[in-house]
Amino acid sequence: MWELLARSLEASTVFLFAALGELVDQRAGVLNVGLEGLMLFGGTAAFITAQTTASYPLGFLAGMALGAFLGLAHGFFSITLRGDQVVSGMGLWILSFGLTTYLGGPRTGPLGLERIPGVLGLSPFFPIGVILVAAVWFLLFRTSLGLAIRSAGENPAAAEASGVSVVAIRYLCVIGGGTLAGLAGATYTLSYNPVWTYNFLMGWGFVSLALVFFSMWNPWILLAGASLFGVMWQLSLSPELVLPGVLSRYVWRTVPFAITIPILVVISTSWFRTRWGLAKPEALGRSYVKG
């Protein structure tokens, strides 16, 4: 049972890294629905680099650097050019399918390096994820920079009038969010499942995106949601450990995604917003034009 829990927490770490970066993006008013694409790029770059150099640190650096660059590219289209944020994100996601297949195809198969050691079977990335959650919460709610980020996402005109550079804040957040998305992809291909194959994530980025809405833009609720989905995902891979002989494992594989849909429907209702005070940033997804 401990092995199942440890693997669940490792899976939740991948969700957590990606969703935490997206949460910071959205707090600043930038929506990136191409999160899955950034993770695919980051994971592929990390896998190729680590396999080529036999170095895990270089692999993680490559994944994070590419994620940061793609975050910057999303920022250029959505902040500087003031393009539609959904279209820009979807473009990155679609691009990721073709390019990662072309670049990673010849390396399909296992990584070929010794596994990253854990502590009592627990991935070292889970405590790093918890520390990041605490750091992001402190940044957002206890620092002047965090106030500037939240202001840029709530009322960018008022933030600009008070001396905050909305463009600079939003660029800072999309680069940081892209870095964490690259880290999430790298953690998947170098630690959780070190085998490269076409479209290896199979929707993990979209679950991470949904988790941000589920969390009501609070890092601690995000940690709880990521842990819950990590357990559900791992149980969907090994349902016989809890409910042996009940339904096909292919049906269980759909459970995490099937649960995501009603959660998003419920939290998007006016009833939920009124009753639970949904803290959606007011300027989320809107381009900012300096007056």
Side-chain angles (χ1 to χ4, degrees), residues 207-222:
V207 172
S208 300
L209 185 64
L211 280 171
V212 178
F213 292 85
F214 171 81
S215 74
M216 294 183 288
W217 293 268
N218 183 306
W220 290 112
I221 299 177
L222 180 64

Side-chain angles (χ1 to χ4, degrees), residues 184-203:
T187 303
Y188 185 99
T189 56
L190 299 185
S191 179
Y192 177 71
N193 184 22
V195 178
W196 198 94
T197 185
Y198 165 73
N199 190 24
F200 53 86
L201 286 173
M202 300 291 286

Side-chain angles (χ1 to χ4, degrees), residues 5-287:
L5 180 60
R7 286 290 287 170
S8 300
L9 293 178
E10 186 171 14
S12 71
T13 305
V14 179
F15 291 127
L16 183 63
F17 284 156
L20 204 54
E22 178 65 15
L23 184 149
V24 175
D25 279 5
Q26 294 193 12
R27 275 288 186 179
V30 181
L31 174 68
N32 187 356
V33 299
L35 195 57
E36 173 107 353
L38 268 63
M39 293 171 70
L40 278 172
F41 272 121
T44 301
F47 188 91
I48 293 174
T49 303
Q51 195 175 61
T52 303
T53 63
S55 169
Y56 276 118
L58 288 179
F60 278 103
L61 283 175
M64 293 166 66
L66 186 55
F69 174 76
L70 293 170
L72 177 64
H74 179 60
F76 178 73
F77 285 110
S78 60
I79 300 171
T80 299
L81 299 183
R82 294 194 287 274
D84 189 293
Q85 297 178 9
V86 174
V87 173
S88 174
M90 291 297 287
L92 285 174
W93 173 50
I94 294 170
L95 181 66
S96 70
F97 277 114
L99 273 183
T100 58
T101 300
Y102 174 74
L103 297 172
R107 297 176 182 274
T108 300
L111 181 62
L113 299 179
E114 191 172 337
R115 295 292 295 262
I116 297 173
V119 179
L120 300 176
L122 181 63
S123 165
F125 297 103
F126 182 71
I128 293 174
V130 175
I131 292 171
L132 276 176
V133 166
V136 168
W137 176 84
F138 186 82
L139 169 70
L140 288 175
F141 300 105
R142 291 293 185 272
T143 68
S144 56
L145 177 59
L147 179 60
I149 292 172
R150 289 186 286 128
S151 300
E154 294 291 341
N155 191 333
E160 193 81 40
S162 63
V164 173
S165 173
V166 173
V167 170
I169 287 292
R170 286 188 169 184
Y171 263 110
L172 178 66
C173 290
V174 293
I175 293 173
T179 303
L180 285 176
L183 175 62
T187 303
Y188 185 99
T189 56
L190 299 185
S191 179
Y192 177 71
N193 184 22
V195 178
W196 198 94
T197 185
Y198 165 73
N199 190 24
F200 53 86
L201 286 173
M202 300 291 286
W204 282 49
F206 291 104
V207 172
S208 300
L209 185 64
L211 280 171
V212 178
F213 292 85
F214 171 81
S215 74
M216 294 183 288
W217 293 268
N218 183 306
W220 290 112
I221 299 177
L222 180 64
L223 173 61
S227 301
L228 174 65
F229 272 80
V231 171
M232 286 196 299
W233 176 260
Q234 212 56 43
L235 281 176
S236 73
L237 297 179
S238 308
E240 66 278 4
L241 294 177
V242 180
L243 296 170
V246 178
L247 299 178
S248 160
R249 65 168 53 223
Y250 298 105
V251 176
W252 284 106
R253 286 283 184 94
T254 67
V255 170
F257 303 101
I259 291 178
T260 301
I261 296 172
I263 287 176
L264 289 178
V265 170
V266 170
I267 66 176
S268 64
T269 61
S270 57
W271 169 81
F272 189 90
R273 289 167 184 267
T274 304
R275 188 174 180 85
W276 301 102
L278 190 61
K280 179 183 176 182
E282 282 296 320
L284 177 61
R286 299 180 195 165
S287 298

